[in-house]
mmCIF file of all heavy atoms in Angstrom:
data_model
loop_
_atom_site.group_PDB
_atom_site.id
_atom_site.type_symbol
_atom_site.label_atom_id
_atom_site.label_comp_id
_atom_site.label_asym_id
_atom_site.label_seq_id
_atom_site.Cartn_x
_atom_site.Cartn_y
_atom_site.Cartn_z
ATOM 1 N N ILE A 10 4.288 4.604 3.744
ATOM 2 C CA ILE A 10 3.087 5.061 3.036
ATOM 3 C C ILE A 10 3.294 6.465 2.488
ATOM 4 O O ILE A 10 2.968 6.762 1.326
ATOM 5 C CB ILE A 10 1.861 5.000 3.972
ATOM 6 C CG1 ILE A 10 1.531 3.541 4.296
ATOM 7 C CG2 ILE A 10 0.660 5.689 3.320
ATOM 8 C CD1 ILE A 10 0.468 3.368 5.372
ATOM 9 N N SER A 11 3.868 7.340 3.308
ATOM 10 C CA SER A 11 4.142 8.717 2.874
ATOM 11 C C SER A 11 5.147 8.732 1.719
ATOM 12 O O SER A 11 4.999 9.501 0.758
ATOM 13 C CB SER A 11 4.675 9.534 4.049
ATOM 14 O OG SER A 11 5.027 10.839 3.638
ATOM 15 N N PHE A 12 6.175 7.871 1.791
ATOM 16 C CA PHE A 12 7.180 7.791 0.732
ATOM 17 C C PHE A 12 6.536 7.405 -0.593
ATOM 18 O O PHE A 12 6.779 8.031 -1.635
ATOM 19 C CB PHE A 12 8.257 6.773 1.114
ATOM 20 C CG PHE A 12 9.167 6.375 -0.014
ATOM 21 C CD1 PHE A 12 10.141 7.246 -0.495
ATOM 22 C CD2 PHE A 12 9.035 5.132 -0.617
ATOM 23 C CE1 PHE A 12 10.968 6.868 -1.543
ATOM 24 C CE2 PHE A 12 9.863 4.752 -1.667
ATOM 25 C CZ PHE A 12 10.828 5.625 -2.124
ATOM 26 N N TYR A 13 5.698 6.376 -0.575
ATOM 27 C CA TYR A 13 5.075 5.931 -1.821
ATOM 28 C C TYR A 13 4.074 6.972 -2.348
ATOM 29 O O TYR A 13 3.979 7.186 -3.563
ATOM 30 C CB TYR A 13 4.395 4.579 -1.625
ATOM 31 C CG TYR A 13 5.375 3.447 -1.456
ATOM 32 C CD1 TYR A 13 5.396 2.681 -0.299
ATOM 33 C CD2 TYR A 13 6.303 3.149 -2.449
ATOM 34 C CE1 TYR A 13 6.307 1.646 -0.139
ATOM 35 C CE2 TYR A 13 7.226 2.127 -2.296
ATOM 36 C CZ TYR A 13 7.217 1.379 -1.137
ATOM 37 O OH TYR A 13 8.135 0.362 -0.983
ATOM 38 N N GLU A 14 3.356 7.630 -1.438
ATOM 39 C CA GLU A 14 2.438 8.675 -1.885
ATOM 40 C C GLU A 14 3.186 9.829 -2.539
ATOM 41 O O GLU A 14 2.696 10.425 -3.508
ATOM 42 C CB GLU A 14 1.602 9.169 -0.704
ATOM 43 C CG GLU A 14 0.539 8.175 -0.270
ATOM 44 C CD GLU A 14 -0.286 8.658 0.907
ATOM 45 O OE1 GLU A 14 0.219 9.528 1.670
ATOM 46 O OE2 GLU A 14 -1.410 8.175 1.084
ATOM 47 N N SER A 15 4.394 10.123 -2.060
ATOM 48 C CA SER A 15 5.194 11.168 -2.699
ATOM 49 C C SER A 15 5.648 10.757 -4.094
ATOM 50 O O SER A 15 6.010 11.603 -4.915
ATOM 51 C CB SER A 15 6.419 11.502 -1.836
ATOM 52 O OG SER A 15 7.365 10.443 -1.853
ATOM 53 N N GLY A 16 5.635 9.438 -4.365
ATOM 54 C CA GLY A 16 5.972 8.918 -5.690
ATOM 55 C C GLY A 16 4.746 8.646 -6.537
ATOM 56 O O GLY A 16 4.808 7.852 -7.477
ATOM 57 N N ASN A 17 3.617 9.288 -6.191
ATOM 58 C CA ASN A 17 2.364 9.214 -6.966
ATOM 59 C C ASN A 17 1.647 7.877 -6.851
ATOM 60 O O ASN A 17 0.823 7.541 -7.704
ATOM 61 C CB ASN A 17 2.611 9.558 -8.440
ATOM 62 C CG ASN A 17 3.060 10.988 -8.632
ATOM 63 O OD1 ASN A 17 2.522 11.897 -8.011
ATOM 64 N ND2 ASN A 17 4.075 11.189 -9.467
ATOM 65 N N PHE A 18 1.932 7.111 -5.799
ATOM 66 C CA PHE A 18 1.132 5.930 -5.511
ATOM 67 C C PHE A 18 -0.119 6.375 -4.759
ATOM 68 O O PHE A 18 -0.097 7.331 -3.985
ATOM 69 C CB PHE A 18 1.916 4.929 -4.662
ATOM 70 C CG PHE A 18 2.892 4.107 -5.438
ATOM 71 C CD1 PHE A 18 4.104 4.645 -5.851
ATOM 72 C CD2 PHE A 18 2.609 2.783 -5.769
ATOM 73 C CE1 PHE A 18 5.021 3.888 -6.568
ATOM 74 C CE2 PHE A 18 3.512 2.019 -6.488
ATOM 75 C CZ PHE A 18 4.720 2.572 -6.892
ATOM 76 N N ILE A 19 -1.216 5.652 -4.975
ATOM 77 C CA ILE A 19 -2.456 5.950 -4.275
ATOM 78 C C ILE A 19 -2.876 4.739 -3.460
ATOM 79 O O ILE A 19 -2.502 3.601 -3.769
ATOM 80 C CB ILE A 19 -3.588 6.345 -5.251
ATOM 81 C CG1 ILE A 19 -3.901 5.192 -6.224
ATOM 82 C CG2 ILE A 19 -3.243 7.618 -6.009
ATOM 83 C CD1 ILE A 19 -5.133 5.427 -7.069
ATOM 84 N N GLN A 20 -3.662 4.987 -2.385
ATOM 85 C CA GLN A 20 -4.172 3.898 -1.574
ATOM 86 C C GLN A 20 -5.438 3.324 -2.219
ATOM 87 O O GLN A 20 -6.366 4.062 -2.523
ATOM 88 C CB GLN A 20 -4.466 4.383 -0.150
ATOM 89 C CG GLN A 20 -3.210 4.822 0.601
ATOM 90 C CD GLN A 20 -3.487 5.083 2.063
ATOM 91 O OE1 GLN A 20 -4.343 4.454 2.677
ATOM 92 N NE2 GLN A 20 -2.738 6.030 2.641
ATOM 93 N N ASP A 21 -5.442 2.000 -2.402
ATOM 94 C CA ASP A 21 -6.576 1.345 -3.045
ATOM 95 C C ASP A 21 -7.494 0.619 -2.059
ATOM 96 O O ASP A 21 -8.605 0.243 -2.415
ATOM 97 C CB ASP A 21 -6.071 0.314 -4.072
ATOM 98 C CG ASP A 21 -5.313 0.972 -5.211
ATOM 99 O OD1 ASP A 21 -5.764 2.025 -5.675
ATOM 100 O OD2 ASP A 21 -4.276 0.426 -5.619
ATOM 101 N N GLY A 22 -7.011 0.408 -0.852
ATOM 102 C CA GLY A 22 -7.824 -0.320 0.114
ATOM 103 C C GLY A 22 -6.961 -0.951 1.177
ATOM 104 O O GLY A 22 -5.761 -0.693 1.271
ATOM 105 N N VAL A 23 -7.575 -1.802 1.983
ATOM 106 C CA VAL A 23 -6.892 -2.470 3.087
ATOM 107 C C VAL A 23 -7.144 -3.964 2.998
ATOM 108 O O VAL A 23 -8.263 -4.408 2.721
ATOM 109 C CB VAL A 23 -7.390 -1.928 4.449
ATOM 110 C CG1 VAL A 23 -6.781 -2.734 5.599
ATOM 111 C CG2 VAL A 23 -7.046 -0.452 4.596
ATOM 112 N N ARG A 24 -6.106 -4.754 3.222
ATOM 113 C CA ARG A 24 -6.218 -6.202 3.266
ATOM 114 C C ARG A 24 -6.101 -6.627 4.729
ATOM 115 O O ARG A 24 -5.010 -6.591 5.308
ATOM 116 C CB ARG A 24 -5.131 -6.837 2.405
ATOM 117 C CG ARG A 24 -5.226 -8.346 2.278
ATOM 118 C CD ARG A 24 -4.269 -8.857 1.239
ATOM 119 N NE ARG A 24 -4.706 -8.507 -0.115
ATOM 120 C CZ ARG A 24 -3.996 -8.729 -1.210
ATOM 121 N NH1 ARG A 24 -2.810 -9.295 -1.115
ATOM 122 N NH2 ARG A 24 -4.452 -8.384 -2.393
ATOM 123 N N PRO A 25 -7.206 -7.034 5.356
ATOM 124 C CA PRO A 25 -7.198 -7.348 6.794
ATOM 125 C C PRO A 25 -6.243 -8.497 7.136
ATOM 126 O O PRO A 25 -6.164 -9.500 6.427
ATOM 127 C CB PRO A 25 -8.648 -7.739 7.085
ATOM 128 C CG PRO A 25 -9.442 -7.114 5.974
ATOM 129 C CD PRO A 25 -8.551 -7.154 4.777
ATOM 130 N N ASN A 26 -5.507 -8.300 8.241
ATOM 131 C CA ASN A 26 -4.626 -9.335 8.803
ATOM 132 C C ASN A 26 -3.681 -9.935 7.762
ATOM 133 O O ASN A 26 -3.392 -11.133 7.776
ATOM 134 C CB ASN A 26 -5.472 -10.458 9.424
ATOM 135 C CG ASN A 26 -6.389 -9.949 10.517
ATOM 136 O OD1 ASN A 26 -6.018 -9.039 11.272
ATOM 137 N ND2 ASN A 26 -7.590 -10.501 10.583
ATOM 138 N N PHE A 27 -3.192 -9.088 6.879
ATOM 139 C CA PHE A 27 -2.327 -9.557 5.790
ATOM 140 C C PHE A 27 -0.948 -9.972 6.305
ATOM 141 O O PHE A 27 -0.345 -10.917 5.809
ATOM 142 C CB PHE A 27 -2.189 -8.466 4.735
ATOM 143 C CG PHE A 27 -1.314 -8.846 3.568
ATOM 144 C CD1 PHE A 27 -1.757 -9.754 2.621
ATOM 145 C CD2 PHE A 27 -0.043 -8.306 3.426
ATOM 146 C CE1 PHE A 27 -0.953 -10.112 1.556
ATOM 147 C CE2 PHE A 27 0.764 -8.657 2.363
ATOM 148 C CZ PHE A 27 0.308 -9.563 1.415
ATOM 149 N N TYR A 28 -0.446 -9.269 7.293
ATOM 150 C CA TYR A 28 0.912 -9.519 7.777
ATOM 151 C C TYR A 28 0.906 -10.377 9.044
ATOM 152 O O TYR A 28 -0.021 -10.304 9.856
ATOM 153 C CB TYR A 28 1.628 -8.195 8.070
ATOM 154 C CG TYR A 28 1.987 -7.414 6.833
ATOM 155 C CD1 TYR A 28 1.197 -6.352 6.401
ATOM 156 C CD2 TYR A 28 3.124 -7.731 6.087
ATOM 157 C CE1 TYR A 28 1.532 -5.627 5.269
ATOM 158 C CE2 TYR A 28 3.460 -7.010 4.953
ATOM 159 C CZ TYR A 28 2.661 -5.966 4.548
ATOM 160 O OH TYR A 28 2.985 -5.251 3.423
ATOM 161 N N ASP A 29 1.962 -11.147 9.214
ATOM 162 C CA ASP A 29 2.217 -11.898 10.436
ATOM 163 C C ASP A 29 3.384 -11.251 11.184
ATOM 164 O O ASP A 29 4.127 -10.433 10.640
ATOM 165 C CB ASP A 29 2.576 -13.358 10.107
ATOM 166 C CG ASP A 29 1.418 -14.085 9.434
ATOM 167 O OD1 ASP A 29 0.263 -13.866 9.849
ATOM 168 O OD2 ASP A 29 1.676 -14.856 8.494
ATOM 169 N N ASN A 30 3.539 -11.639 12.430
ATOM 170 C CA ASN A 30 4.734 -11.306 13.210
ATOM 171 C C ASN A 30 5.092 -9.814 13.216
ATOM 172 O O ASN A 30 6.181 -9.444 12.756
ATOM 173 C CB ASN A 30 5.928 -12.130 12.680
ATOM 174 C CG ASN A 30 7.126 -12.080 13.622
ATOM 175 O OD1 ASN A 30 6.962 -11.909 14.827
ATOM 176 N ND2 ASN A 30 8.315 -12.203 13.048
ATOM 177 N N PRO A 31 4.215 -8.919 13.717
ATOM 178 C CA PRO A 31 2.909 -9.189 14.313
ATOM 179 C C PRO A 31 1.809 -9.156 13.251
ATOM 180 O O PRO A 31 1.995 -8.633 12.159
ATOM 181 C CB PRO A 31 2.752 -8.023 15.293
ATOM 182 C CG PRO A 31 3.455 -6.899 14.609
ATOM 183 C CD PRO A 31 4.642 -7.508 13.914
ATOM 184 N N VAL A 32 0.645 -9.692 13.626
ATOM 185 C CA VAL A 32 -0.509 -9.649 12.730
ATOM 186 C C VAL A 32 -0.933 -8.196 12.536
ATOM 187 O O VAL A 32 -1.057 -7.428 13.498
ATOM 188 C CB VAL A 32 -1.680 -10.467 13.306
ATOM 189 C CG1 VAL A 32 -2.930 -10.302 12.433
ATOM 190 C CG2 VAL A 32 -1.292 -11.938 13.402
ATOM 191 N N GLU A 33 -1.127 -7.812 11.266
ATOM 192 C CA GLU A 33 -1.441 -6.409 10.971
ATOM 193 C C GLU A 33 -2.081 -6.312 9.590
ATOM 194 O O GLU A 33 -1.800 -7.128 8.702
ATOM 195 C CB GLU A 33 -0.164 -5.568 11.022
ATOM 196 C CG GLU A 33 -0.409 -4.074 10.912
ATOM 197 C CD GLU A 33 0.879 -3.272 11.104
ATOM 198 O OE1 GLU A 33 1.919 -3.861 11.491
ATOM 199 O OE2 GLU A 33 0.839 -2.056 10.862
ATOM 200 N N ASP A 34 -2.926 -5.307 9.411
ATOM 201 C CA ASP A 34 -3.536 -5.068 8.107
ATOM 202 C C ASP A 34 -2.494 -4.562 7.120
ATOM 203 O O ASP A 34 -1.509 -3.909 7.492
ATOM 204 C CB ASP A 34 -4.654 -4.028 8.215
ATOM 205 C CG ASP A 34 -5.840 -4.531 9.021
ATOM 206 O OD1 ASP A 34 -5.891 -5.744 9.291
ATOM 207 O OD2 ASP A 34 -6.696 -3.700 9.387
ATOM 208 N N GLY A 35 -2.723 -4.863 5.854
ATOM 209 C CA GLY A 35 -1.860 -4.353 4.796
ATOM 210 C C GLY A 35 -2.584 -3.299 3.977
ATOM 211 O O GLY A 35 -3.743 -3.495 3.584
ATOM 212 N N VAL A 36 -1.939 -2.172 3.738
ATOM 213 C CA VAL A 36 -2.506 -1.118 2.897
ATOM 214 C C VAL A 36 -2.129 -1.403 1.452
ATOM 215 O O VAL A 36 -0.938 -1.559 1.124
ATOM 216 C CB VAL A 36 -1.989 0.272 3.318
ATOM 217 C CG1 VAL A 36 -2.538 1.350 2.383
ATOM 218 C CG2 VAL A 36 -2.377 0.568 4.759
ATOM 219 N N LEU A 37 -3.112 -1.506 0.580
ATOM 220 C CA LEU A 37 -2.881 -1.749 -0.848
ATOM 221 C C LEU A 37 -2.649 -0.412 -1.544
ATOM 222 O O LEU A 37 -3.437 0.527 -1.378
ATOM 223 C CB LEU A 37 -4.078 -2.459 -1.474
ATOM 224 C CG LEU A 37 -4.494 -3.781 -0.824
ATOM 225 C CD1 LEU A 37 -5.769 -4.303 -1.458
ATOM 226 C CD2 LEU A 37 -3.383 -4.796 -0.961
ATOM 227 N N MET A 38 -1.581 -0.329 -2.330
ATOM 228 C CA MET A 38 -1.260 0.900 -3.042
ATOM 229 C C MET A 38 -0.898 0.568 -4.487
ATOM 230 O O MET A 38 -0.442 -0.550 -4.790
ATOM 231 C CB MET A 38 -0.093 1.639 -2.367
ATOM 232 C CG MET A 38 -0.317 1.934 -0.901
ATOM 233 S SD MET A 38 0.986 2.967 -0.169
ATOM 234 C CE MET A 38 0.594 4.571 -0.881
ATOM 235 N N SER A 39 -1.073 1.525 -5.380
ATOM 236 C CA SER A 39 -0.737 1.296 -6.790
ATOM 237 C C SER A 39 -0.386 2.612 -7.467
ATOM 238 O O SER A 39 -0.729 3.697 -6.964
ATOM 239 C CB SER A 39 -1.893 0.633 -7.545
ATOM 240 O OG SER A 39 -3.006 1.497 -7.624
ATOM 241 N N ARG A 40 0.305 2.474 -8.586
ATOM 242 C CA ARG A 40 0.639 3.637 -9.426
ATOM 243 C C ARG A 40 0.480 3.245 -10.874
ATOM 244 O O ARG A 40 1.049 2.241 -11.326
ATOM 245 C CB ARG A 40 2.058 4.100 -9.157
ATOM 246 C CG ARG A 40 2.604 5.061 -10.223
ATOM 247 C CD ARG A 40 3.686 5.938 -9.676
ATOM 248 N NE ARG A 40 4.519 6.580 -10.652
ATOM 249 C CZ ARG A 40 4.135 7.407 -11.626
ATOM 250 N NH1 ARG A 40 2.858 7.671 -11.787
ATOM 251 N NH2 ARG A 40 5.010 7.955 -12.449
ATOM 252 N N GLU A 41 -0.322 3.997 -11.614
ATOM 253 C CA GLU A 41 -0.460 3.775 -13.055
ATOM 254 C C GLU A 41 0.631 4.545 -13.766
ATOM 255 O O GLU A 41 0.773 5.750 -13.570
ATOM 256 C CB GLU A 41 -1.846 4.209 -13.532
ATOM 257 C CG GLU A 41 -2.965 3.315 -13.030
ATOM 258 C CD GLU A 41 -4.289 3.618 -13.709
ATOM 259 O OE1 GLU A 41 -4.272 3.862 -14.929
ATOM 260 O OE2 GLU A 41 -5.307 3.629 -12.997
ATOM 261 N N LEU A 42 1.402 3.860 -14.598
ATOM 262 C CA LEU A 42 2.507 4.502 -15.312
ATOM 263 C C LEU A 42 1.997 5.283 -16.503
ATOM 264 O O LEU A 42 0.966 4.977 -17.077
ATOM 265 C CB LEU A 42 3.522 3.442 -15.751
ATOM 266 C CG LEU A 42 4.150 2.649 -14.608
ATOM 267 C CD1 LEU A 42 5.095 1.602 -15.145
ATOM 268 C CD2 LEU A 42 4.881 3.573 -13.635
ATOM 269 N N GLY A 43 2.739 6.306 -16.860
ATOM 270 C CA GLY A 43 2.374 7.140 -17.994
ATOM 271 C C GLY A 43 1.404 8.241 -17.629
ATOM 272 O O GLY A 43 0.918 8.969 -18.495
ATOM 273 N N LYS A 44 1.105 8.374 -16.331
ATOM 274 C CA LYS A 44 0.187 9.413 -15.895
ATOM 275 C C LYS A 44 0.914 10.385 -15.000
ATOM 276 O O LYS A 44 1.869 10.041 -14.351
ATOM 277 C CB LYS A 44 -1.002 8.805 -15.140
ATOM 278 C CG LYS A 44 -1.919 7.996 -16.037
ATOM 279 C CD LYS A 44 -3.192 7.638 -15.308
ATOM 280 C CE LYS A 44 -4.176 6.929 -16.218
ATOM 281 N NZ LYS A 44 -5.441 6.616 -15.534
#
């Protein structure tokens, strides 16, 4: 998360129980290009 934030990605929200093995929430991140 810190790595992507250093690359100008932002957190958009959380997707509950997105991952398996183990079950875990997924943090949604995005970066708009040209900004």
Side-chain angles (χ1 to χ4, degrees):
I10 293 171
S11 176
F12 167 73
Y13 289 119
E14 287 180 337
S15 71
N17 295 317
F18 281 77
I19 61 171
Q20 295 189 32
D21 296 319
V23 174
R24 185 170 288 174
N26 301 324
F27 180 73
Y28 289 99
D29 296 320
N30 193 28
V32 174
E33 188 174 351
D34 293 348
V36 177
L37 304 174
M38 305 186 74
S39 66
R40 165 155 162 58
E41 291 190 40
L42 300 178
K44 291 190 175 182

